[in-house]
Amino acid sequence: MASSTETPGAPAPTAAPDAPATSAAGVPTAGHQPVELAFEIGAGVPRLPEADRAEVLAAPGFGRHFTDHMARAVWTPAGWGQDGVVAHAPITLSPAAAVLHYAQEVFEGLKAYRHDDGSVWAFRPEANAARFAASARRLALPVLPEDAFVRSVEQLVRADVDWVPTGGENSLYLRPFMFASESFLGVRPAAEVTYLVIASPAGSYFGGGEITPVSIWLSQEYSRAAPGGTGAAKCGGNYAASLRAQAEASENGCDQVAFLDAVEHRWVEELGGMNLFFVMDDGTLVTPELSGTILEGVTRSSVLQIAADLGHRVEERRVDVAEWREGCESGRVREVFACGTAAVVTPVGALVEPGRRSVAGDGGTGEVTAAVRQRLTDVQTGRAEDTHGWLHRLV
Ligand code: COI
């Protein structure tokens, strides 16, 4: 923990000789010594009574209910430690904790599914672990070894296995996150960082059901991210930056907001928390290329693979918003959908701008959108063969 005598702006405390490497500026680097984080499940954690849990699982919604446990580890310049699976409970944080002032924080979202035989599987947790490490590097946070990330998820789900819903596409949504918990107001990478994983039974992200098309407001004046910024990292600040535009979308009767690039205000980037796909009249699937300002979605990359498996051509390239508008009018753009861990694959009904509404096809769920969605959820829930080795058994 930092002492109160530190000078604001001074480098982080010098690491012990065998500690994880930090750069001259005190930024934690990837050069950690091997760490063994077991995330042992603690005893005596109070459990929600079974009847109450059953009521939650009957209609979980999204992000409102949480399981009995959470996984935890703490980083200091001496390395990672204090790991375990403990009671999901409020945390104590100094009002001077750096995250509250400078937003040094990253997170992930992934899901665990119960298959018909009762086994429980995570979808591509290694991909989330790798992205979490990349996000941490960008935010000058310590890198949690990827096997420790996966282990924390495994242990939490084992502790809370009764919370994994059955039926349909319901799942246990897992939210790993890491934040600057050091009490210090100097602006520099924190010397104490807390890693937590919480879990929440999940149904549809959108109240109306995932298969109901959503309307998209095209943000007129706000950008989500700029070149050289943090757009490719999964950090809370990106989502905070999207909220004013999201509120504007709601004011205009839309479900979500789409952002264009910050330089030319012309190229389609992503929604606040989802990637976008366009299905063209020749069956090609097009998605905005990874420009450094959009998030490399795990669902996005899975959709690219699934579309190819289903015989579609796929293109990652720049998409001009005029191509979206005009393609809806000409019929060149047949379907549009959004995708993400929480949103799965969600059809886009209309792009809304002042005085203009662009609808692809009939504005309903397109055939290709439905087929991609079906294959993805079939793999996730064990109804289709996992030919790419995407599932990771947890229980
Ligand atoms: C996810 O899809 O997991 C996300 O993190 C996006 C968020 C809007 C829920």
Side-chain angles (χ1 to χ4, degrees):
M1 185 81 76
S3 83
S4 56
T5 56
E6 278 185 76
T7 315
T14 313
D18 61 348
T22 56
S23 73
V27 178
T29 69
H32 292 277
Q33 87 279 31
V35 286
E36 273 299 325
L37 296 177
F39 291 99
E40 297 283 354
I41 300 170
V45 170
R47 313 248 173 179
L48 194 71
E50 194 180 335
D52 296 346
R53 191 177 64 234
E55 200 179 317
V56 170
L57 295 185
F62 182 85
R64 292 214 174 273
H65 303 282
F66 298 93
T67 63
D68 300 318
H69 294 83
M70 62 184 183
R72 184 200 60 205
V74 176
W75 179 89
T76 68
W80 285 100
Q82 301 176 50
D83 57 302
V85 173
V86 298
H88 176 113
I91 52 175
T92 304
L93 212 52
S94 161
V99 66
L100 301 177
H101 304 271
Y102 310 127
Q104 196 191 6
E105 185 266 1
V106 296
F107 71 98
E108 270 303 321
L110 69 161
K111 284 176 171 174
Y113 302 84
R114 189 184 293 281
H115 290 187
D116 286 345
D117 65 359
S119 59
V120 177
W121 304 74
F123 185 69
R124 306 189 68 184
E126 300 84 2
N128 294 93
R131 189 173 64 183
F132 194 61
S135 299
R137 285 187 192 99
R138 178 63 186 85
L139 272 285
L141 283 160
V143 171
L144 180 72
E146 293 174 27
D147 58 347
F149 176 100
V150 174
R151 175 93 181 140
S152 67
V153 164
E154 285 170 349
Q155 288 292 90
L156 177 59
V157 174
R158 283 170 192 157
D160 282 331
V161 66
D162 293 341
W163 281 92
V164 184
T166 48
E169 293 159 22
N170 286 349
S171 61
L172 187 65
Y173 183 79
L174 299 157
R175 172 54 66 90
F177 60 110
M178 185 197 281
F179 56 93
S181 46
E182 183 189 7
S183 171
F184 179 54
L185 294 182
V187 181
R188 56 133 172 87
E192 184 199 293
V193 170
T194 300
Y195 169 70
L196 297 175
V197 191
I198 56 175
S200 173
S204 167
Y205 181 71
F206 294 105
E210 283 156 3
I211 207 69
T212 309
V214 293
S215 52
I216 306 289
W217 171 253
L218 185 70
S219 183
Q220 301 298 296
E221 65 177 303
Y222 300 110
S223 298
R224 177 186 166 273
T230 57
K234 201 161 177 68
C235 62
N238 290 341
Y239 294 77
S242 78
L243 294 178
R244 180 61 223 138
Q246 176 61 39
E248 199 178 80
S250 303
E251 285 155 22
N252 284 280
C254 293
D255 301 298
Q256 284 288 310
V257 60
F259 292 97
L260 299 178
D261 75 287
V263 179
E264 295 181 69
H265 215 62
R266 168 178 175 192
W267 306 104
V268 178
E269 298 228 304
E270 61 166 275
L271 308 185
M274 294 154 222
N275 295 115
L276 275 168
F277 274 85
F278 300 86
V279 183
M280 313 308 273
D281 57 356
D282 63 357
T284 302
L285 268 77
V286 179
T287 192
E289 67 189 8
L290 299 174
S291 54
T293 53
I294 69 174
L295 192 75
E296 186 172 355
V298 176
T299 310
R300 176 188 179 280
S301 87
S302 310
V303 166
L304 283 168
Q305 182 62 60
I306 285 171
D309 293 349
L310 293 175
H312 295 272
R313 240 165 58 84
V314 293
E315 285 179 7
E316 295 176 76
R317 62 165 170 84
R318 297 206 294 182
V319 178
D320 193 321
V321 67
E323 184 182 358
W324 185 351
R325 283 186 201 114
E326 289 158 19
C328 288
E329 272 170 29
S330 69
R332 171 81 177 121
V333 174
R334 284 267 171 83
E335 305 174 24
V336 184
F337 65 84
C339 68
T341 298
V344 193
V345 168
T346 297
V348 170
L351 173 68
V352 182
E353 302 167 73
R356 188 172 192 140
R357 200 177 167 84
S358 307
V359 178
D362 64 3
T365 304
E367 222 174 273
V368 177
T369 303
V372 167
R373 184 178 203 289
Q374 189 69 46
R375 173 67 68 90
L376 175 66
T377 56
D378 280 353
V379 172
Q380 289 170 331
T381 55
R383 296 188 299 254
E385 198 188 339
D386 174 24
T387 53
H388 299 292
W390 284 339
L391 297 183
H392 178 106
R393 186 160 185 172
L394 299 172
V395 177

